[in-house]
Amino acid sequence: MSTELPEAAVPPPTGSIGSSQAPTRRTFIATTTVVGGAVVAGGVIGGPLFVDDEVAAAEAVSQSRVSLTVNGTGRTVTVDNRTSLLDLLREHFGLTGSKKGCNAGACGACTVLVDGRRVNSCLTLAVRLEGAEVTTIEGLADGDELHPLQQAFIDEDAFQCGYCTPGQIMSGVGCIKEGHTGSPEEIREWMSGNICRCGCYVKITRAVEQTAGRK
């Protein structure tokens, strides 16, 4: 007769190395929860993870003082080093004529003149313009007398919604100063960075051509 016991009836081994009861899943989760809570509590009670002095120093380094001339008026301001010229003009100086279109330098709605050159102000860091002369759409007119290109835009009806118009006019002024007005094709080429979603390109070209004295 066989003396083997059924598997279910075999008693657990005793006296072996693994005789101590292994932690259950519930015990393991409870233990890790308690330990994790102690670590978090220690971080809160013991103080911040970063030294306050280091944070303050980092914040101080992230700002700079810049002096520039905007539309003939000297300005001095302390700004975050990441501030764009567009945000400086709109948010700090209240000059909202320059528009934030794509904010990626692709539409030209934010075009202004810096030292006579046209730039996308959304891509230009304000802190790099120490001593620069900036001209925006607000600085073109002489009192109640419009700039010739502003008047030409009215005469040629070269706008519809008007959102891109400030950038178009500033780019047109730069285009004329650069001498890129030899033909309608040349004007379109050198104004191609300014997008008009209303499609007034023909009239915009005529306005620039008129101002350049070719019509």
Side-chain angles (χ1 to χ4, degrees):
M1 179 183 293
S2 172
T3 58
E4 293 182 1
L5 295 175
E7 184 177 350
V10 176
T14 59
S16 63
I17 296 176
S19 62
S20 59
Q21 185 178 3
T24 64
R25 180 172 178 272
R26 180 177 300 174
T27 304
F28 175 76
I29 294 175
T31 303
T32 55
T33 301
V34 171
V35 173
V39 172
V40 173
V44 174
I45 297 172
L49 297 178
F50 300 100
V51 180
D52 290 340
D53 291 343
E54 293 179 356
V55 174
E59 291 178 350
V61 171
S62 68
Q63 293 188 335
S64 296
R65 187 180 180 88
V66 60
S67 297
L68 66 166
T69 302
V70 180
N71 297 331
T73 302
R75 304 268 194 157
T76 299
V77 64
T78 300
V79 295
D80 188 296
N81 291 340
R82 299 164 293 181
T83 302
S84 68
L85 173 58
L86 177 60
D87 286 338
L88 178 68
L89 294 172
R90 291 179 59 84
E91 298 177 12
H92 292 261
F93 298 158
L95 299 173
T96 57
S98 303
K99 304 303 182 187
K100 181 176 285 191
C102 65
N103 204 34
C107 72
C110 66
T111 304
V112 299
L113 301 181
V114 176
D115 294 331
R117 295 188 312 107
R118 46 186 172 159
V119 302
N120 291 320
S121 59
C122 71
L123 297 183
T124 305
L125 289 176
V127 294
R128 302 191 65 180
L129 299 179
E130 178 67 32
E133 292 189 10
V134 179
T135 303
T136 71
I137 190 68
E138 291 90 346
L140 280 187
D142 184 9
D144 294 333
E145 183 179 352
L146 296 177
H147 185 278
L149 186 54
Q150 289 176 306
Q151 186 61 54
F153 263 66
I154 296 173
D155 296 341
E156 295 293 340
D157 195 21
F159 53 88
Q160 190 167 324
C161 77
Y163 192 85
C164 74
T165 303
Q168 296 279 3
I169 292 176
M170 297 308 299
S171 186
V173 170
C175 187
I176 293 170
K177 287 184 176 181
E178 294 160 11
H180 298 305
T181 57
S183 65
E185 292 75 20
E186 185 178 14
I187 292 172
R188 286 196 293 270
E189 174 68 23
W190 288 89
M191 291 280 292
S192 61
N194 291 79
I195 296 174
C196 175
R197 292 172 176 83
C198 300
C200 297
Y201 296 111
V202 173
K203 295 180 179 180
I204 291 171
T205 301
R206 287 177 183 170
V208 175
E209 199 174 24
Q210 173 183 311
T211 306
R214 299 191 56 83
K215 185 175 180 180

